[in-house]
């Protein structure tokens, strides 16, 4: 049987932060605020993985008050979520995602992000989708207050 999981995350921009997306540090002058490296794309993917196996969300598994999460590379969070899928008897088939932000330009970094995520997820790169769009200058994303990401994962389960 196939199961799907959906993930959504958003972080606001803050001063003195690095911008990390899909495990890639992107020069942008400001980064996203958060307890970890605030990698919004990777967080959405982790929630999609957890959702596919009926687990609770990333905040439950990786709580903000856990000192071991502070500044963590979020690729490790998605790796642990993928391990939970395996432990539940699931086989990850593919994961797709969409980043939503007015800036910076994501296109030049997508290949490296895909390689990073394929590696930690144990997937062929063709099974990792990363797309980017703007919010057409509407709302908090359109005003450049932060970034958001959505993700969906498909998992094959024995029953
Ligand atoms: Zn997050």
């Amino acid at each position: 049987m196939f199961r799907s999981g959906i993930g959504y995350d958003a972080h606001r921009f803050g001063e003195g932060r690095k911008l990390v997306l899909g495990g890639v540090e992107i020069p942008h002058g400001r980064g996203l605020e958060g307890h970890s490296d605030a990698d919004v794309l990777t967080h959405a993917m982790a929630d999609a993985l957890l959702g596919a196996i009926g687990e609770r969300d990333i905040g439950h598994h990786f709580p903000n008050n856990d000192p071991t999460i502070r500044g963590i590379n979020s690729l490790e969070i998605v790796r642990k979520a993928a391990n939970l899928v395996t432990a539940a008897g699931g086989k990850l088939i593919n994961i797709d995602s969409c980043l939503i932000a007015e800036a910076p330009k994501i296109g030049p970094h997508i290949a490296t992000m895909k390689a990073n995520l394929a590696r930690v997820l144990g997937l062929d790169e063709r099974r990792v989708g990363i797309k980017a769009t703007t919010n057409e200058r509407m709302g908090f994303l359109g005003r450049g207050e932060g970034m958001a990401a959505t993700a969906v994962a498909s998992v094959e389960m024995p029953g």
Side-chain angles (χ1 to χ4, degrees):
M1 116 194 302
F2 278 91
R3 298 209 195 162
S4 303
I6 187 171
Y8 170 82
D9 194 26
H11 285 257
R12 65 174 63 244
F13 280 117
E15 300 302 323
R17 296 277 302 178
K18 291 175 180 170
L19 180 62
V20 180
L21 298 170
V24 180
E25 195 178 317
I26 296 174
H28 184 49
R30 56 188 189 153
L32 297 171
E33 290 182 352
H35 191 66
S36 65
D37 62 6
D39 186 336
V40 67
L41 174 69
T42 304
H43 293 178
M45 286 188 173
D47 256 351
L49 295 169
L50 294 169
I53 56 169
E55 274 288 338
R56 289 184 61 185
D57 61 35
I58 186 172
H60 176 79
H61 288 277
F62 308 98
N64 277 347
N65 58 10
D66 179 349
T68 68
I69 303 298
R70 179 168 290 279
I72 193 177
N73 179 337
S74 293
L75 291 177
E76 291 309 314
I77 292 177
V78 84
R79 187 199 303 274
K80 287 180 182 174
N83 288 344
L84 287 172
V85 170
T86 306
K91 181 175 183 288
L92 179 61
I93 302 301
N94 80 303
I95 194 159
D96 188 22
S97 65
C98 187
L99 264 169
I100 308 148
E102 298 298 321
K105 286 252 180 291
I106 304 300
H109 308 287
I110 284 183
T112 314
M113 291 180 196
K114 283 178 79 160
N116 284 345
L117 286 153
R119 187 179 71 248
V120 294
L121 292 169
L123 286 179
D124 186 284
E125 286 181 28
R126 289 169 297 183
R127 296 181 185 229
V128 179
I130 300 175
K131 299 154 347 270
T133 187
T134 72
N135 219 34
E136 291 283 340
R137 297 195 295 277
M138 294 181 290
F140 71 96
L141 294 168
R143 291 189 294 272
E145 293 172 21
M147 299 184 76
T150 59
V152 60
S154 288
V155 172
E156 191 175 6
M157 299 280 276

